[in-house]
Amino acid sequence: GGAGGGDAKRGVKEELEGKSGYMKQVLADREVYREMIEDLAKQIAAVRPVDMFQVQEFSGEVERRLTLLSDENMVLKGFPDFPLKRLESLREAVARRGELRKLQESLNPEGEKWITKSNMGEELQNVVERFEAAQPAIEWYQRAEPDLKRAFLNHHVPFDFSAVAATRHATVGLAAYSLRMVQTASERLHSASEEDQSKGRPQVLQLAQGTLKFAFRIHQFAGGFDAVTTQLFSSLHDVIEAMLEAQSREKEAKEKGGKEKDAPQ
């Protein structure tokens, strides 16, 4: 019992010493960095950036200084006039811009973050998954835009909301990429022998029909296509029609051939 009691006392003592060591550091930071913190407070309250570039430049400077503190929240509690809400708004603008940039990168098949799959079926599926991963975030930004605008204006923080529209429009690039892929496959099929065309057509047709449906989803989501994607969509539609006709002719020829074989001699 006595040993256990001693352990408990020792544990409490160590905890208190740990806390007091931590608090000593916080209090020391408040003194050592007082001038810097008061100067930062004035700058954060007064700054009026005109664009996102200035927001990022200024925020970077602020962050470099605040990282000197042992515990930012606790140290700043000793400065009740510190403009924390404005600092939070600047930070949010930087974070939101970064998130939109990442979303745009994730939708760019030409980008260095894009890992191409080994076959066309898998790559088309990869494109669909990229779109579906980004869609909820883009929709959230579209819904939240009025509230975000208000909050940023409130703190005089400029934010370029055209980045939201640009991210939504980046999905059109995915449609064009998919349509081109299937168009190339259909051209290869068209230049193959009749026998190979007959063998390969069902798979290419299935991929083409799936891609056309996916492209239409993007058309609805992005609010339209650019001229190039419209042309690709239209020509893939014609390719599908031609493949369906070829399949139908083939089927008729087989049926006719079968009937002729079965006809009494």
Side-chain angles (χ1 to χ4, degrees), residues 212-232:
L212 205 70
K213 270 186 196 164
F214 169 65
F216 184 70
R217 267 177 78 190
I218 286 188
H219 180 275
Q220 299 301 91
F221 175 73
F225 283 159
D226 53 26
V228 172
T229 313
T230 302
Q231 181 54 48
L232 286 164

Side-chain angles (χ1 to χ4, degrees), residues 167-227:
T167 308
R168 189 178 70 157
H169 195 69
T171 59
V172 172
L174 289 182
Y177 177 65
S178 304
L179 292 164
R180 267 197 202 97
M181 235 190 299
V182 180
Q183 192 180 46
T184 304
S186 71
E187 283 163 6
R188 271 204 299 265
L189 182 74
H190 192 65
S191 60
S193 69
E194 234 174 273
E195 192 188 340
D196 285 346
Q197 278 191 45
S198 181
K199 279 183 196 161
R201 193 179 295 115
Q203 191 197 2
V204 175
L205 181 59
Q206 190 185 9
L207 290 172
Q209 287 170 323
T211 299
L212 205 70
K213 270 186 196 164
F214 169 65
F216 184 70
R217 267 177 78 190
I218 286 188
H219 180 275
Q220 299 301 91
F221 175 73
F225 283 159
D226 53 26

Side-chain angles (χ1 to χ4, degrees), residues 107-121:
L107 297 167
N108 180 13
E110 322 275 278
E112 49 193 53
K113 299 269 171 81
W114 189 281
I115 297 160
T116 310
K117 301 290 178 187
S118 56
N119 67 59
M120 190 176 70

Side-chain angles (χ1 to χ4, degrees), residues 1-223:
D7 283 349
K9 270 183 199 160
R10 195 158 50 248
V12 170
K13 185 168 178 276
E14 279 169 12
E15 198 179 325
L16 287 172
E17 276 171 2
K19 275 186 180 163
S20 69
Y22 160 78
M23 275 315 292
K24 268 182 200 156
Q25 184 59 58
V26 166
L27 295 169
D29 279 4
R30 283 178 189 168
E31 285 316 307
V32 172
Y33 297 112
R34 178 172 296 280
E35 206 176 307
M36 179 194 83
I37 292 166
E38 285 170 353
D39 177 53
L40 264 186
K42 281 182 201 145
Q43 285 191 53
I44 292 167
V47 73
R48 290 291 179 272
V50 296
D51 56 23
M52 271 310 294
F53 176 74
Q54 286 186 3
V55 169
Q56 283 172 303
E57 286 287 291
F58 178 75
S59 297
E61 242 351 280
V62 170
E63 300 300 352
R64 272 191 286 281
R65 296 188 199 180
L66 289 177
T67 51
L68 298 169
L69 308 178
S70 55
D71 181 329
E72 183 191 301
N73 284 339
M74 280 303 288
V75 174
L76 293 181
K77 272 182 184 170
F79 300 84
D81 294 334
F82 195 88
L84 272 175
K85 287 266 184 283
R86 183 116 206 270
L87 174 62
E88 278 164 22
S89 190
L90 288 162
R91 278 175 168 167
E92 186 180 5
V94 171
R96 297 266 172 234
R97 185 69 199 92
E99 189 180 15
L100 285 164
R101 197 170 279 133
K102 265 191 193 153
L103 278 170
Q104 282 178 34
E105 276 173 18
S106 76
L107 297 167
N108 180 13
E110 322 275 278
E112 49 193 53
K113 299 269 171 81
W114 189 281
I115 297 160
T116 310
K117 301 290 178 187
S118 56
N119 67 59
M120 190 176 70
E122 281 179 19
E123 182 64 348
L124 287 168
Q125 187 52 37
N126 181 29
V127 172
V128 173
E129 283 165 11
R130 293 285 188 128
F131 169 66
E132 288 175 348
Q135 188 182 0
I138 299 169
E139 284 172 341
W140 180 87
Y141 272 101
Q142 285 177 279
R143 284 193 309 274
E145 192 171 321
D147 291 338
L148 286 172
K149 257 184 188 155
R150 249 192 320 274
F152 287 139
L153 272 172
N154 210 10
H155 291 289
H156 304 282
V157 175
F159 189 85
D160 182 10
F161 280 95
S162 69
V164 177
T167 308
R168 189 178 70 157
H169 195 69
T171 59
V172 172
L174 289 182
Y177 177 65
S178 304
L179 292 164
R180 267 197 202 97
M181 235 190 299
V182 180
Q183 192 180 46
T184 304
S186 71
E187 283 163 6
R188 271 204 299 265
L189 182 74
H190 192 65
S191 60
S193 69
E194 234 174 273
E195 192 188 340
D196 285 346
Q197 278 191 45
S198 181
K199 279 183 196 161
R201 193 179 295 115
Q203 191 197 2
V204 175
L205 181 59
Q206 190 185 9
L207 290 172
Q209 287 170 323
T211 299
L212 205 70
K213 270 186 196 164
F214 169 65
F216 184 70
R217 267 177 78 190
I218 286 188
H219 180 275
Q220 299 301 91
F221 175 73

